[in-house]
Amino acid sequence: MPELDHVLRAVLTFEAMLALLFAGHWVGSTWHERTWPIRVILIGIGLVMTYLLAGQFKAFNLGIPFDAFSWLGLIAYAVLLSGFTWQRHRERRTRRGR
């Protein structure tokens, strides 16, 4: 049976990868509506999310335990995914109402 630490890291990794996919889709669909400063900020946020995902891989490889910072990441990605899901649901509902 896998250790709890491995399971939590797997969940965090899955959330991070899913969030990156949702973020890419969202940024791509709204890219033309944004100004260049906002585009640069969105690119930066995507890069930070990628950096955090790479940090989790590094922590796993170094055998660093799942700590409070990892819990914060797990919760943050869950909130981010909830927001993307909520936004997507609202967008679909608004399109149906037209």
Side-chain angles (χ1 to χ4, degrees):
M1 173 129 182
E3 292 182 30
L4 180 61
D5 194 51
H6 292 152
V7 172
L8 290 172
R9 286 218 191 270
V11 170
L12 180 56
T13 300
F14 177 74
E15 282 183 346
M17 293 172 111
L18 195 59
L20 279 168
L21 289 173
F22 277 142
H25 178 269
W26 181 73
V27 168
S29 66
T30 61
W31 186 260
H32 62 281
E33 300 169 7
R34 308 290 178 208
T35 61
W36 275 104
I38 299 298
R39 290 175 184 175
V40 171
I41 291 169
L42 292 172
I43 290 170
I45 290 171
L47 291 172
V48 167
M49 289 171 53
T50 305
Y51 172 76
L52 293 174
L53 178 60
Q56 285 302 312
F57 280 116
K58 186 175 180 179
F60 176 77
N61 288 336
L62 293 174
I64 298 171
F66 200 85
D67 58 359
F69 293 110
S70 299
W71 275 107
L72 181 63
L74 188 74
I75 293 166
Y77 275 118
V79 170
L80 181 63
L81 288 172
S82 298
F84 278 133
T85 304
W86 188 7
Q87 187 270 337
R88 190 169 175 91
H89 175 71
R90 272 189 73 188
E91 181 181 288
R92 285 185 177 175
R93 190 177 61 200
T94 303
R95 282 189 195 164
R96 262 189 262 145
R98 288 183 187 172

